[in-house]
Amino acid sequence: MPEPRSPLGQPLDRADGVAKVTGRAKYAAEFAPPDLAHAVVVTSTITRGRVTACDTAAAEKSPGVLAVITPRTVPAMKAVPADLLPKGRPPIELRPPLADEKVSHFGQAVAVVVADTFERATAAAARVRVTYQADEPALTLEEAEPTAFEAETFVGREDLKHRRGDVARALAGAAVKLEAVYRTPVEHHNPIEPAATIAEWDGDSLTLHDSSRWVHATRRVAAGVFGLSPEKVRVICPFIGGAFGSKGFTWQQNLLAAAAARHVKRPVKLVLTRQQMFTLAGRRPETKQAVALAATKDGGLTAVRHATMSETSPLADFVEPCGTLSKHLYSCPNVEVTHRVVRLNRSSPVFMRGPGETPGSFALESALDELAVAAGIDPLVLRLKNHADRDEEKDRPWSSKHLKECYRRGDERFGWAKRDPKPRSMRDGNLLVGWGMATAAYPGIRMEARAKVRVTADGRAVAASAAHEIGNGAYTVLAQIAAAALGLPVDRVRFELGDSDLPFAPATGASQTTAAVGSAVTAAAVEAMAKLVKLATTDKASPLFGIAVDQLAAREGKLVSRADGAKADAFSDILRRAKLKGVEADATAAPGEEKEKFSFLSTGAQFVEVKIDPDLPRVRVTRVVGVYDPGAVLNPKTARSQMLGGILMGLGAALLEETVYDGRGLVVNPDLADYRLPVHADTSDIDVSFVNEPDRHFNPVGARGLGELGISGIGAAVANAVFHATGKRIRDLPITPEKLL
Amino acid sequence: MTPFDYTRAEGSAAAVKQVSGSAKATFLGGGTCLIDLMKLHVENHDLLVDITPLPLDRIEATAGGGVRIGANVRNSELAHDATIYKNYPALSEALLSGASPQLRNMATVGGNLMQRTRCPYFRNGFSPCNKREPKSGCAAKDGYNRSHAVLGVSEHCIATHPSDMCVALIAFDAVVKTHGPKGERAIPITDFHLVPGDTPDRETVLEHGELITAVELPAAPWAMRSHYLKVRDRASYEFALASAAVALEVVDGVIKTARVALGGVATKPWRAADAEKSLVGQKPGAPAFAATAEMATKGVAPRQFNGFKVALVRRVIVRALETVAAMK
Ligand SMILES: Cc1cc2nc3c(=O)[nH]c(=O)nc-3n(C[C@H](O)[C@H](O)[C@H](O)COP(=O)(O)OP(=O)(O)OC[C@H]3O[C@@H](n4cnc5c(N)ncnc54)[C@H](O)[C@@H]3O)c2cc1C
């Protein structure tokens, strides 16, 4: 009898696909507790200063209004707990909303109006009259540079200061050298679902239906801020309509909703408007990166210097860790990486897909392309020549790395060999054709997680952990992992997530859900299976009575003797005879000593073709080839979707996306017409493939995760292609038509 | 949004009476512009009179060989109309380059003529803006003005007229038919929109409560050789950075009729009449087109962020004329 195919590696449809396209999937704002009231936030129209008066009289008299909450009337809130991370202060605002009358950025919450309907709350909110005393704001990196401070680590996880060898000396004596400054703008996550919360109090118990991609942290935040024990708070989030780095920890809307609900003694719903998503829900900071590279005549890197300046708000400490890849992506004896941060009067920044890797790889991979041009070497050859065979930052081996194979396959699939290196040399009719490439990389990260698994007498199983379905396919892939570990067909396994009553899971971020939660699911499944095995082998009525554990396998819902396939006992029979409804186990999985022995890095190769009308220079991306090594690919279908999403977001960052602050610090494009995301017509032929080699040092399923790998390197691959097409090197994103006129 | 009353029109005369009778009443077409601005509290009305039930939804031939387009015809329907597509192709192209399919299915011809600027300072509801709040100032002049106009601007307003459709209509000498409190009027579209001057809040010659009933396109055999070219950052679903509707009639190798109208760069749908005249009698080709583009941008007044539009619109004009010249 052939082994049934493992559910791992199958291109299964999304478990939640039908629910999503038929509207049955319920998002945070779609729950409807009885007596629900609606809150609308009033935001500041100045950039820095203080509120001198807030006239709420007209709003309070507006029909249906239950309350107008200002810093003077807001229920007491303590600071957000500072110990949400294993190490270091969380990079978010610890000041609870409406804590004082200071304004530190445009679009800050200054009041909240609660009414019986959303429309009436909105109408009343427009009648709140706020008067300000405006102070001089800090608006640009250049202006604020004298007050820059050095950042030591990224969320306590990654060193932001690294020095090896002697960069200055290597630069001074270099045969080939490149020094340039690269800039990337503020970007916003713009998930299609805005940040949303429904808060409901029952005595001193609080339930939040919240668009949170870390329900356990949101629970701790709410408990800390409202002085409750964590068991009194429940955070529920079965689906998230995209986050891309937003919606983690806490954002003001969940605390404001809870405060408003407490104030009006009714459940309250608060959904940010699209405009408010640009000032109250996080963003990627602006960066300015000075890169210096030195090489021998034949392109061997002798120095890498990557000095990043990014900005944060007066209210939170976030740093965009642009230089992290530069420490180890290439082999180089002399490396210097630093990060400085200034405070600007803008809303608080936070993680955004590939924090650091996205803008950082734009700088590093553009610089490498410039070096290739200067040295007269093919950009792909240059990268192969400088391939890092081990992690030279930590001086230890990679757990598993197949980047050379990614380059090789990408080269072939794209047809890179046919590239004429001379700029402006390739044409399609009247159009200039450009081919560019870059390396993609994202670390393999995995934090502690817990899961439980229950096998039931009907021959099915339920696995659960407080993870999140963020569009990533978590329901699907985590069920596949449980099914594989239990020897059950995947359609007999259901996964539960998105509820802080479930076992602890880390934030759905750092591309780790599959790796972290999947490991816990495997561990819990193994324990549940051990219980079943014990029941069967100690039960005289079982055909497996007395057989040693290591002689048993689980497949198709049965325990089977390895020696004699005819000896089998179905899970349902085992449980029925034991008069049990099910067996359950929970387990924690955490990284162990492998963390000190190996470095973990997912890598890939990105190839891009652009076509540009020389007179009307809009950049059109006509082809992308991406080949990736994220370890094992557990579901090629959802994995491909992740890569496509990353690539598209990368194309947006390369060509379109930019949040614009004007000379007064106002966001002037806070909607989806004026903040341009790529639309279908901007997409093209995108070819995604995987090397698919499991990383057994990393975790049992061998998957490093891939949510952020696809966006890495795309910005540079596009800019490099634009240079190849036009001979113009664009070092500040996005590459809009006026930069090529 | 502030609460408002809604009523469905029962005849043009009744609708005109309802709206002209109250300063805070207005017509509702597809709502794609109006409702948006009401949600932003930029416009606040007490009463919306929905005119889409009115029988103004036909596209018909006129006695003079032209076309009469009802004010309620949806943008998508007009774009795909066989006569328009064949006889006035730049109008189809202009419509299809605008907004998204969903919006075009809702948007009406009347509403498109009356759509308001995308200036962020107008739309944010609080910055100084002479258009939204007369005499409050103009935040765009020294603000972020990448999308703003370089033609037809004044000290008081530099907001771009956003419509694509209107650019094609103005190239084709369209006439706007209205029914107002004082009766019916026919307004040449060149006179319909106003440059801002010192009253940027007055955007058209319509009186309050005056209803657009139709747009007429005169017979124009040369319009078959017309083209609308629009440049923007993304490939679709974005307002123009610069656009041009052009037409050429070439007889015996010499230009007899020319049309050059511009979008994305001016405070109203812009007809470059002098530039057109300069083409007449010339041979179609690069020298004539370049000179025309130069002439069409005479008197531009760029600001800090929109200077690129001058070069861009010149290239758009040249490319559009080249395209039409090459048509069979
Ligand atoms: C996201 C987005 C993108 C867009 N992109 C583009 C683009 O690329 N190019 C482009 O050209 N346009 C674009 N538009 C604008 C769109 O074309 C207009 O919103 C639409 O044409 C307005 O038509 P409507 O029927 O919906 O008008 P409504 O919103 O109903 O009305 C608009 C105004 O016209 C008045 N009105 C309507 N009908 C009449 C009438 N018969 N007589 C007198 N007054 C009347 C109303 O009172 C109101 O003041 C975009 C709009 C959006 C929302």
Side-chain angles (χ1 to χ4, degrees), chain B residues 278-299:
Chain B
S278 79
L279 279 173
V280 174
Q282 306 254 14
K283 280 204 182 83
F289 296 162
T292 298
E294 211 45 54
M295 189 168 286
T297 49
K298 251 188 19 212

Side-chain angles (χ1 to χ4, degrees), chain A residues 42-73:
Chain A
V42 179
T43 59
S44 64
T45 55
I46 65 158
T47 306
R48 178 164 172 253
R50 55 187 313 111
V51 172
T52 51
C54 185
D55 179 357
T56 58
E60 274 159 6
K61 276 189 244 124
S62 213
V65 168
L66 301 168
V68 180
I69 305 171
T70 66
R72 298 184 180 199
T73 57

Side-chain angles (χ1 to χ4, degrees), chain A residues 22 28 83 85 111 122 201 207 282 324 328 331 428 454-455 467 508 643 650:
Chain A
T22 54
D83 58 350
L85 294 172
T122 315
W201 290 89
T207 303
T324 50
H328 53 225
S331 173
D428 173 8
R454 180 177 173 83
V455 181
T508 290
M643 304 321 288

Side-chain angles (χ1 to χ4, degrees), chain B residues 20-328:
Chain B
S20 55
S22 153
K24 298 214 94 187
T26 198
F27 301 118
L28 174 67
T32 62
C33 181
L34 180 60
I35 301 297
D36 207 14
L37 291 171
M38 288 173 73
K39 283 183 178 171
L40 295 170
H41 292 104
V42 170
E43 286 198 35
N44 299 290
H45 303 281
D46 293 342
L47 172 66
L48 297 189
V49 179
D50 185 350
I51 54 168
T52 56
L54 298 179
L56 304 172
D57 56 353
R58 278 212 291 278
I59 304 171
E60 319 160 290
T62 58
V67 185
R68 183 185 162 88
I69 304 158
N72 284 347
V73 171
R74 306 287 173 167
N75 284 188
S76 47
E77 208 187 321
L78 183 59
H80 293 294
D81 179 82
T83 311
I84 299 296
Y85 191 78
K86 180 161 161 279
N87 294 347
Y88 305 90
L91 179 55
S92 277
E93 290 175 305
L95 285 159
L96 292 174
S97 76
S100 67
Q102 293 90 336
L103 285 159
R104 295 195 294 268
N105 286 341
M106 286 304 288
T108 61
V109 166
N112 197 322
L113 277 162
M114 297 296 289
Q115 70 169 294
R116 308 201 67 190
T117 185
R118 297 290 304 187
C119 172
Y121 301 101
F122 169 74
R123 285 171 62 85
N124 75 12
F126 63 83
S127 287
C129 172
N130 292 319
K131 192 184 271 304
R132 178 168 31 77
E133 204 182 316
K135 310 236 177 309
S136 62
C138 171
K141 276 194 307 179
D142 303 311
Y144 185 69
N145 42 38
R146 178 179 189 250
S147 66
H148 289 73
V150 292
L151 288 165
V153 298
S154 77
E155 270 307 289
H156 307 284
C157 183
I158 59 169
T160 306
H161 193 277
S163 172
D164 292 301
M165 179 191 82
C166 293
V167 180
L169 290 182
I170 206 167
F172 296 144
D173 305 312
V175 175
V176 181
K177 299 287 186 109
T178 70
H179 180 154
K182 293 180 204 141
E184 299 192 359
R185 290 207 272 173
I187 309 162
I189 189 166
T190 35
D191 301 338
F192 184 81
H193 296 99
L194 301 171
V195 290
D198 53 11
T199 53
D201 54 311
R202 252 183 86 64
E203 297 175 352
T204 69
V205 296
L206 286 196
E207 283 177 40
H208 180 67
E210 190 170 357
L211 178 75
I212 301 169
T213 52
V215 172
E216 278 189 17
L217 292 177
W222 44 264
M224 284 174 83
R225 285 166 53 122
S226 65
H227 177 49
Y228 187 74
L229 176 60
K230 173 175 176 180
V231 173
R232 46 189 157 178
D233 301 278
R234 67 180 165 196
S236 171
Y237 199 17
E238 186 183 347
F239 292 91
L241 289 171
S243 71
V246 305
L248 283 181
E249 181 185 23
V250 182
V251 178
D252 298 332
V254 171
I255 297 170
K256 190 171 157 215
T257 311
R259 288 288 186 276
V260 178
L262 307 178
V265 292
T267 51
K268 57 170 269 183
W270 198 257
R271 180 85 178 261
D274 289 344
E276 291 172 358
K277 272 189 220 127
S278 79
L279 279 173
V280 174
Q282 306 254 14
K283 280 204 182 83
F289 296 162
T292 298
E294 211 45 54
M295 189 168 286
T297 49
K298 251 188 19 212
V300 288
R303 294 270 165 183
Q304 187 180 357
F305 296 98
N306 63 357
F308 73 98
K309 284 189 172 185
V310 178
L312 186 63
V313 76
R314 285 185 188 141
R315 296 185 188 192
V316 167
I317 295 168
V318 170
R319 174 64 60 80
L321 286 169
E322 285 171 353
T323 307
V324 172
M327 281 179 180
K328 290 280 165 293

Side-chain angles (χ1 to χ4, degrees), chain A residues 428 431-434 609-613 618-622 725:
Chain A
D428 173 8
L431 302 177
L432 297 165
V433 176
E609 175 185 85
V610 299
K611 291 188 180 168
I612 304 173
D613 184 324
R618 297 169 284 181
V619 179
R620 294 288 173 253
V621 174
T622 45

